[in-house]
Amino acid sequence: MTKRRLWIAVAAALVTALGVVLALNFAGPDSQVTERVYHRYDIDSPQFRREMGVLLGPNVVGGNTITDLQNGDAIFPAMLAAIAAAEHTITFETFVYWSGDVGRQFAEALAAKARDSVEVHVLLDWAGAKEVDPSFEMMEAAGVEVHWYRPLKWYSLGRLNNRTHRKLLVVDGRVGFTGGVGIADDWAGNAQDPDHWRDAHFRVEGPVVAQLQAAFLDNWIETTGEVLNGPAYFPPLDSVGTVAAQMFMASPAGGSDSMRLMYLMAVAAAEHTIDLSAAYFVPDDLLLNALVEAAERGVAIRIVLPGQHIDSELVGISSKKTWGPLLEAGVTVAEYAPTMYHTKMLIVDRTLVSVGSTNFDIRSFELNDEASLNLYDTTFAAHMTAVFEADLALADPYTFEQWKNRPWTEKFAETVLLPIKSQL
């Protein structure tokens, strides 16, 4: 074989290998829902909760107290206070951890507890927390066990696009936090301007905290091989409130399609109302059709999405492309005006509230590891509906006429630029 042919053969092999890697990175779950979920019962039905537990797991458990925290001014002090009060263990997993004042505050708080002989375990996504920061070295020097989830390795290229998007903090196995915020200055403040994002996080106490801990351990064990157990991590948890709750997780790289299934089941069960806050809203045809069918059977659907301050132009283009059938079916769609809207929340029939890290898009359903907390309580749902309506009041309604007559530049981007960008 001549040198020229050898180089051609090598190049062809490399191109083939690259193609395989790309295909693996964007492959969906092995077990995927492809057919519609029918309306057979409502959210209040015991059958709904039973199937949510059986199909998604774990079971719904009662006796919990949930406190909603709106924006960084409320979220970060509550999390830092819980860290400061830790006596035995802290487990912390996040996608975004960036340089800045917020990151420094968390690093100092975690390091201080490690120096006080608290066992502190931190799991950071290699892609989301990619910025090099002296805070990480400072935490490790203090005794914090810091690990990176799926770092770049030649033997793991096929899973490079499967990230952990979970946001979990558990203190002493008794107090948990989950929601949408990352550890970065973008989330500081009170959503007062475009430099300070709108988001929500939730403080959790009660039996369901053990499920948050289990969600953390799912990726901790995958990353380190270490099992964290015993009463310091899983203490007995008594009833402390009235909210029934269920924390379930999805790992699409492991073949799970539970996040998509959860949304499909909740939308199918809706009889009166659906309120959806979505930072990244790019439904596939199955979910889009489920929402349209719910609207056509009389369910009042309201959706609040990011407006001009969205942090991803590609997501904005992809999202607006799907709005036509929803608007035509009578769904209310509104664009949040003041700043980037990063809230992730689903409220169904003023009874079920689902919060956590999950976005309404293909990444959350097929690529990311996610964790969502389902809460069943009419009083809490009424409160969160009021929070949703406050956001809706700051959002600009978007009509079907606007969608039909949107500028040719948007249509061009949808039909020409979007397919090109999605392949890059």
PDB file of all heavy atoms in Angstrom, residues 35-46:
ATOM      1  N   GLU A  35     -45.600   6.306  21.724  1.00  0.00           N
ATOM      2  CA  GLU A  35     -47.039   6.384  21.494  1.00  0.00           C
ATOM      3  C   GLU A  35     -47.692   7.293  22.536  1.00  0.00           C
ATOM      4  O   GLU A  35     -47.185   7.451  23.649  1.00  0.00           O
ATOM      5  CB  GLU A  35     -47.668   4.984  21.566  1.00  0.00           C
ATOM      6  CG  GLU A  35     -47.116   4.004  20.530  1.00  0.00           C
ATOM      7  CD  GLU A  35     -47.471   4.391  19.116  1.00  0.00           C
ATOM      8  OE1 GLU A  35     -48.529   5.039  18.911  1.00  0.00           O
ATOM      9  OE2 GLU A  35     -46.696   4.047  18.202  1.00  0.00           O
ATOM     10  N   ARG A  36     -48.825   7.856  22.203  1.00  0.00           N
ATOM     11  CA  ARG A  36     -49.525   8.776  23.100  1.00  0.00           C
ATOM     12  C   ARG A  36     -49.974   8.071  24.372  1.00  0.00           C
ATOM     13  O   ARG A  36     -50.204   6.852  24.390  1.00  0.00           O
ATOM     14  CB  ARG A  36     -50.732   9.383  22.401  1.00  0.00           C
ATOM     15  CG  ARG A  36     -51.798   8.371  22.010  1.00  0.00           C
ATOM     16  CD  ARG A  36     -53.007   9.021  21.380  1.00  0.00           C
ATOM     17  NE  ARG A  36     -53.793   9.778  22.356  1.00  0.00           N
ATOM     18  CZ  ARG A  36     -55.017  10.238  22.098  1.00  0.00           C
ATOM     19  NH1 ARG A  36     -55.565  10.044  20.902  1.00  0.00           N
ATOM     20  NH2 ARG A  36     -55.684  10.896  23.027  1.00  0.00           N
ATOM     21  N   VAL A  37     -50.067   8.853  25.446  1.00  0.00           N
ATOM     22  CA  VAL A  37     -50.618   8.367  26.714  1.00  0.00           C
ATOM     23  C   VAL A  37     -52.038   8.914  26.815  1.00  0.00           C
ATOM     24  O   VAL A  37     -52.258  10.117  26.694  1.00  0.00           O
ATOM     25  CB  VAL A  37     -49.770   8.849  27.904  1.00  0.00           C
ATOM     26  CG1 VAL A  37     -50.392   8.402  29.224  1.00  0.00           C
ATOM     27  CG2 VAL A  37     -48.337   8.329  27.782  1.00  0.00           C
ATOM     28  N   TYR A  38     -53.005   8.034  27.028  1.00  0.00           N
ATOM     29  CA  TYR A  38     -54.419   8.420  26.978  1.00  0.00           C
ATOM     30  C   TYR A  38     -54.915   8.942  28.327  1.00  0.00           C
ATOM     31  O   TYR A  38     -54.408   8.577  29.386  1.00  0.00           O
ATOM     32  CB  TYR A  38     -55.277   7.236  26.525  1.00  0.00           C
ATOM     33  CG  TYR A  38     -55.047   6.851  25.089  1.00  0.00           C
ATOM     34  CD1 TYR A  38     -54.086   5.894  24.762  1.00  0.00           C
ATOM     35  CD2 TYR A  38     -55.772   7.445  24.063  1.00  0.00           C
ATOM     36  CE1 TYR A  38     -53.862   5.544  23.435  1.00  0.00           C
ATOM     37  CE2 TYR A  38     -55.552   7.097  22.729  1.00  0.00           C
ATOM     38  CZ  TYR A  38     -54.595   6.148  22.426  1.00  0.00           C
ATOM     39  OH  TYR A  38     -54.358   5.805  21.119  1.00  0.00           O
ATOM     40  N   HIS A  39     -55.932   9.771  28.268  1.00  0.00           N
ATOM     41  CA  HIS A  39     -56.574  10.312  29.473  1.00  0.00           C
ATOM     42  C   HIS A  39     -57.503   9.242  30.051  1.00  0.00           C
ATOM     43  O   HIS A  39     -58.577   8.973  29.526  1.00  0.00           O
ATOM     44  CB  HIS A  39     -57.374  11.564  29.111  1.00  0.00           C
ATOM     45  CG  HIS A  39     -58.127  12.144  30.272  1.00  0.00           C
ATOM     46  ND1 HIS A  39     -57.500  12.747  31.340  1.00  0.00           N
ATOM     47  CD2 HIS A  39     -59.464  12.199  30.542  1.00  0.00           C
ATOM     48  CE1 HIS A  39     -58.407  13.153  32.206  1.00  0.00           C
ATOM     49  NE2 HIS A  39     -59.608  12.832  31.755  1.00  0.00           N
ATOM     50  N   ARG A  40     -57.078   8.622  31.155  1.00  0.00           N
ATOM     51  CA  ARG A  40     -57.852   7.536  31.775  1.00  0.00           C
ATOM     52  C   ARG A  40     -58.287   7.881  33.205  1.00  0.00           C
ATOM     53  O   ARG A  40     -59.182   7.238  33.735  1.00  0.00           O
ATOM     54  CB  ARG A  40     -57.036   6.244  31.783  1.00  0.00           C
ATOM     55  CG  ARG A  40     -56.554   5.794  30.408  1.00  0.00           C
ATOM     56  CD  ARG A  40     -55.935   4.411  30.464  1.00  0.00           C
ATOM     57  NE  ARG A  40     -55.297   4.044  29.219  1.00  0.00           N
ATOM     58  CZ  ARG A  40     -55.914   3.590  28.136  1.00  0.00           C
ATOM     59  NH1 ARG A  40     -57.239   3.465  28.154  1.00  0.00           N
ATOM     60  NH2 ARG A  40     -55.236   3.271  27.044  1.00  0.00           N
ATOM     61  N   TYR A  41     -57.657   8.840  33.845  1.00  0.00           N
ATOM     62  CA  TYR A  41     -57.974   9.223  35.214  1.00  0.00           C
ATOM     63  C   TYR A  41     -57.433  10.626  35.434  1.00  0.00           C
ATOM     64  O   TYR A  41     -56.694  11.162  34.605  1.00  0.00           O
ATOM     65  CB  TYR A  41     -57.355   8.255  36.226  1.00  0.00           C
ATOM     66  CG  TYR A  41     -55.952   7.813  35.873  1.00  0.00           C
ATOM     67  CD1 TYR A  41     -54.877   8.719  35.934  1.00  0.00           C
ATOM     68  CD2 TYR A  41     -55.677   6.522  35.458  1.00  0.00           C
ATOM     69  CE1 TYR A  41     -53.606   8.335  35.592  1.00  0.00           C
ATOM     70  CE2 TYR A  41     -54.399   6.132  35.108  1.00  0.00           C
ATOM     71  CZ  TYR A  41     -53.369   7.034  35.179  1.00  0.00           C
ATOM     72  OH  TYR A  41     -52.095   6.666  34.847  1.00  0.00           O
ATOM     73  N   ASP A  42     -57.803  11.245  36.567  1.00  0.00           N
ATOM     74  CA  ASP A  42     -57.336  12.602  36.831  1.00  0.00           C
ATOM     75  C   ASP A  42     -56.190  12.587  37.843  1.00  0.00           C
ATOM     76  O   ASP A  42     -55.824  11.548  38.394  1.00  0.00           O
ATOM     77  CB  ASP A  42     -58.488  13.499  37.299  1.00  0.00           C
ATOM     78  CG  ASP A  42     -59.138  13.005  38.588  1.00  0.00           C
ATOM     79  OD1 ASP A  42     -58.466  12.306  39.382  1.00  0.00           O
ATOM     80  OD2 ASP A  42     -60.321  13.326  38.821  1.00  0.00           O
ATOM     81  N   ILE A  43     -55.636  13.777  38.094  1.00  0.00           N
ATOM     82  CA  ILE A  43     -54.492  13.916  38.995  1.00  0.00           C
ATOM     83  C   ILE A  43     -54.825  13.464  40.411  1.00  0.00           C
ATOM     84  O   ILE A  43     -53.979  12.916  41.131  1.00  0.00           O
ATOM     85  CB  ILE A  43     -54.013  15.387  39.007  1.00  0.00           C
ATOM     86  CG1 ILE A  43     -53.370  15.750  37.658  1.00  0.00           C
ATOM     87  CG2 ILE A  43     -53.042  15.646  40.150  1.00  0.00           C
ATOM     88  CD1 ILE A  43     -52.041  15.117  37.406  1.00  0.00           C
ATOM     89  N   ASP A  44     -56.073  13.683  40.841  1.00  0.00           N
ATOM     90  CA  ASP A  44     -56.473  13.328  42.207  1.00  0.00           C
ATOM     91  C   ASP A  44     -56.695  11.828  42.403  1.00  0.00           C
ATOM     92  O   ASP A  44     -56.844  11.367  43.540  1.00  0.00           O
ATOM     93  CB  ASP A  44     -57.768  14.060  42.577  1.00  0.00           C
ATOM     94  CG  ASP A  44     -57.552  15.547  42.760  1.00  0.00           C
ATOM     95  OD1 ASP A  44     -56.515  15.923  43.327  1.00  0.00           O
ATOM     96  OD2 ASP A  44     -58.409  16.341  42.321  1.00  0.00           O
ATOM     97  N   SER A  45     -56.723  11.088  41.328  1.00  0.00           N
ATOM     98  CA  SER A  45     -56.996   9.660  41.421  1.00  0.00           C
ATOM     99  C   SER A  45     -55.846   8.911  42.100  1.00  0.00           C
ATOM    100  O   SER A  45     -54.673   9.139  41.770  1.00  0.00           O
ATOM    101  CB  SER A  45     -57.225   9.081  40.025  1.00  0.00           C
ATOM    102  OG  SER A  45     -57.227   7.667  40.061  1.00  0.00           O
ATOM    103  N   PRO A  46     -56.155   7.995  43.028  1.00  0.00           N
ATOM    104  CA  PRO A  46     -55.096   7.152  43.597  1.00  0.00           C
ATOM    105  C   PRO A  46     -54.351   6.367  42.524  1.00  0.00           C
ATOM    106  O   PRO A  46     -53.175   6.038  42.687  1.00  0.00           O
ATOM    107  CB  PRO A  46     -55.870   6.222  44.547  1.00  0.00           C
ATOM    108  CG  PRO A  46     -57.120   6.966  44.883  1.00  0.00           C
ATOM    109  CD  PRO A  46     -57.474   7.731  43.638  1.00  0.00           C
TER     110      PRO A  46
END
